[in-house]
Amino acid sequence: GPSFGRGKISLCAQPSWGPRLPPFMTFFRQFARSLLLLLSVAAFLVSCSSPAARKQKAMDRGNREFAQGKYPEAMIYYGQALQLDTHDAQAHYKLAQCQLKLGSWTAAFAELSRAVELQPDNWPAQVQLAELTLRGGKPQNAKDRALFILRSDPKTVDARMDLSTSAPPARDSQAAPPG
């Protein structure tokens, strides 16, 4: 406790009143204070990591989960990355990949749309968006997107495939919305 002798206040000194603490108690008190200070500094440093570092950590964890086929878990981490940076085209694209694996066509369409809005030269996302548009029963929109892809990146074979498809496959109950 505080010591108030001769006008000085000390929080570390033993009180001048009452019984003196045994040496092990004094050591324990100093150890507890040091440990508390160390834990406080560590907590401060962890909480101060940059949003970019936290976003990258979430993306890395999402990629590991995705590689293991744990798509719902990967979606959680990609969602965390998007909470830190809503304009991350790669996070939107990766989230769409999970949704495609899970058959959530409408959600995948929305994420792919956002990914290509943020990064128009993401050709795999453009191709998948064209495919979902075709699946959604909008062959002209899919053709327009495929032509855009081919004009921008003529080597994209998948766009040629989309362009050559004359009729869309049968619509399913979760077909993508019109593009």
Side-chain angles (χ1 to χ4, degrees):
S3 175
F4 300 103
R6 298 186 193 175
K8 295 182 181 176
I9 296 177
S10 172
L11 297 177
C12 295
Q14 285 188 331
S16 58
W17 64 90
R20 292 193 52 82
L21 293 174
F24 77 90
M25 289 296 287
T26 304
F27 170 77
F28 178 74
R29 180 183 286 169
Q30 290 292 6
F31 176 76
R33 285 184 183 138
S34 298
L35 184 61
L36 182 62
L37 178 63
L38 181 65
L39 291 174
S40 297
V41 169
F44 176 76
L45 291 176
V46 167
S47 68
C48 290
S49 65
S50 73
R54 291 194 314 264
K55 179 181 82 169
Q56 187 57 52
K57 187 175 179 179
M59 289 295 293
D60 292 344
R61 185 72 192 268
N63 291 340
R64 281 195 300 274
E65 298 293 337
F66 187 90
Q68 295 175 8
K70 298 177 180 176
Y71 308 119
E73 292 86 349
M75 288 175 65
I76 291 169
Y77 292 107
Y78 295 140
Q80 287 176 355
L82 286 169
Q83 286 178 343
L84 294 166
D85 180 4
T86 59
H87 294 90
D88 187 322
Q90 190 62 23
H92 283 285
Y93 177 70
K94 293 293 214 163
L95 185 55
Q97 297 312 295
C98 293
Q99 292 162 338
L100 287 171
K101 292 285 188 182
L102 295 171
S104 300
W105 313 124
T106 303
F109 184 90
E111 291 302 327
L112 287 169
S113 296
R114 183 71 173 136
V116 300
E117 175 186 324
L118 294 168
Q119 186 184 15
D121 63 345
N122 183 337
W123 305 123
Q126 289 279 9
V127 169
Q128 288 175 332
L129 197 53
E131 290 170 354
L132 286 177
T133 303
L134 185 62
R135 177 179 280 214
K138 298 289 185 179
Q140 185 58 48
N141 292 2
K143 180 179 178 180
D144 293 343
R145 187 169 296 278
L147 287 171
F148 166 75
I149 296 167
L150 287 172
R151 279 190 223 108
S152 303
D153 185 23
K155 297 179 207 127
T156 307
V157 176
D158 292 336
R160 290 185 192 144
M161 300 278 288
D162 285 347
L163 190 58
S164 68
T165 305
S166 58
R171 280 184 84 150
D172 62 10
S173 60
Q174 290 195 10

